[in-house]
Amino acid sequence: MKPLFLFPYWCRYLGYILVVVHIPIVLYKNEIGFDLHGAHADTGIFNSRHVFFISTTLLMAVGLFIAAFSKEKIEDEQIVQLRLDSLQWAVYVNYLFLIISLVFSTDTEHILFLNLLVPLVFFIIRFRWKIFRNNRLIKE
C-alpha cells in the first residue's frame, strides 16, 4: 500500500525545526522591535502587529503540518490506520475547542489561532503516543 500525499521521512525534522524556531521569536517579540500593544500601532491590514502575527502563525502552522504529515520509516497498514484514527480524534477535539471558544470568547484572533493549530498539535501528540504504545506492546 503506497500512501499518497505524505512528505518524505526527513521532513518531520524540518517541521520540528520550524516549530522550535517559532517559539523564541514569539516569546521575545517585544525585544526584536515590534511594538505589538503600543498606542502608536499602525492602522490598516498591513500594520506591524498583523504582519508579525501572520508570519509567526504561518511558520508554526507550516512546521506542524510538515511534521504531522511526513512518512514513517516503515509505512504499513497499521501506521495508516493509526494516522487515520488520530486525525479523526484531532477533528473531534478541534470542534470541541471551537464550540467552547465561540460560546465563551469574542477574541476572534485567538479563536483563529486555536482553530488552526490545535488539530495539528493534537494529531501529532496522539499519533506519536499511539506509535509509542504500539512499539511497547511489540517489545513485551
Side-chain angles (χ1 to χ4, degrees):
M1 180 174 174
K2 184 177 178 183
L4 299 175
F5 307 116
L6 290 177
F7 297 106
Y9 175 73
W10 60 268
C11 286
R12 177 185 341 160
Y13 301 111
L14 175 67
Y16 289 143
I17 288 170
L18 290 176
V19 170
V20 168
V21 165
H22 165 266
I23 293 169
I25 291 172
V26 171
L27 290 177
Y28 298 112
K29 63 187 168 197
N30 292 331
E31 294 179 21
I32 60 175
F34 289 103
D35 184 22
L36 299 180
H37 300 293
H40 301 14
D42 299 333
T43 58
I45 192 166
F46 293 113
N47 60 32
S48 62
R49 181 177 184 272
H50 184 69
V51 169
F52 181 79
F53 173 75
I54 293 297
S55 60
T56 56
T57 302
L58 283 177
L59 184 68
M60 181 76 150
V62 167
L64 287 172
F65 185 79
I66 291 172
F69 297 110
S70 57
K71 291 180 185 177
E72 294 296 309
K73 278 186 180 178
I74 300 171
E75 191 76 30
D76 58 359
E77 289 84 10
Q78 187 176 18
I79 297 294
V80 171
Q81 185 61 37
L82 290 175
R83 190 184 309 273
L84 181 63
D85 183 54
S86 299
L87 189 59
Q88 182 179 6
W89 273 97
V91 170
Y92 290 158
V93 168
N94 179 49
Y95 273 94
L96 177 70
F97 282 149
L98 180 63
I99 290 168
I100 290 171
S101 61
L102 285 174
V103 169
F104 293 111
S105 177
T106 59
D107 189 7
T108 57
E109 186 175 283
H110 287 101
I111 291 173
L112 170 70
F113 187 74
L114 184 74
N115 194 29
L116 182 67
L117 299 180
V118 164
L120 292 172
V121 169
F122 188 80
F123 170 77
I124 291 171
I125 290 171
R126 179 162 166 78
F127 183 59
R128 293 284 144 218
W129 175 253
K130 293 299 255 180
I131 288 178
F132 172 75
R133 295 273 314 253
N134 225 7
N135 290 340
R136 252 179 72 199
L137 287 174
I138 291 172
K139 288 180 182 178
E140 291 177 356

